Amino acid sequence: MGMEYFGNKLKAVRKAKKMTQAEFAKILGVSSSIIAAYEQGKNFPSVSILIEICKTLGVSSDYLLGLSDEISIKLGGLSEEEAQAFLQLIGLFEENRSLSK
């Protein structure tokens, strides 16, 4: 699993939580460009920032890092399977958008 994989999952979960990059960055105490770099697969967060990302989004680091496909966040009462499908769909839209640019 590469940096882009982490970035796609991070972006999908952030968007599912209805947070902008700016809002997310403010919560984490970093700049929006740092969040953009994570999501574009240009950089990985430090361990301390990764922990804060997981706490803020309510998701495991195993999920974001690709060690597990199980996601533990709750999205508006969706089952775990429905939430997983929803996040995969968001990821596909984002991947398609980046390919068409």
Side-chain angles (χ1 to χ4, degrees):
M1 303 299 148
M3 291 171 75
E4 283 184 14
Y5 186 79
F6 169 81
N8 288 338
K9 283 193 165 192
L10 176 63
K11 188 175 199 175
V13 174
R14 176 186 58 77
K15 286 190 168 208
K17 292 287 190 165
K18 298 179 182 174
M19 258 190 260
T20 65
Q21 283 184 343
E23 292 166 337
F24 190 44
K26 186 175 181 180
I27 292 167
L28 296 176
V30 299
S31 69
S32 295
S33 63
I34 296 286
I35 301 301
Y38 296 159
E39 292 182 356
Q40 293 169 8
K42 294 180 180 176
N43 202 356
F44 270 132
S46 66
V47 173
S48 61
I49 295 293
L50 178 60
I51 290 168
E52 289 306 312
I53 287 170
C54 293
K55 286 179 184 177
T56 301
L57 297 177
V59 67
S60 74
S61 59
D62 284 356
Y63 176 76
L64 290 176
L65 296 171
L67 300 173
S68 170
D69 286 333
E70 291 184 32
I71 186 160
S72 61
I73 65 170
K74 300 295 179 206
L75 298 172
L78 298 178
S79 71
E80 192 167 316
E81 293 81 22
E82 291 168 333
Q84 180 67 32
F86 178 70
L87 291 173
Q88 287 175 345
L89 182 61
I90 292 172
L92 288 173
F93 281 125
E94 293 302 324
E95 189 176 309
N96 187 39
R97 182 181 293 161
S98 66
L99 292 175
S100 66
K101 287 184 179 181

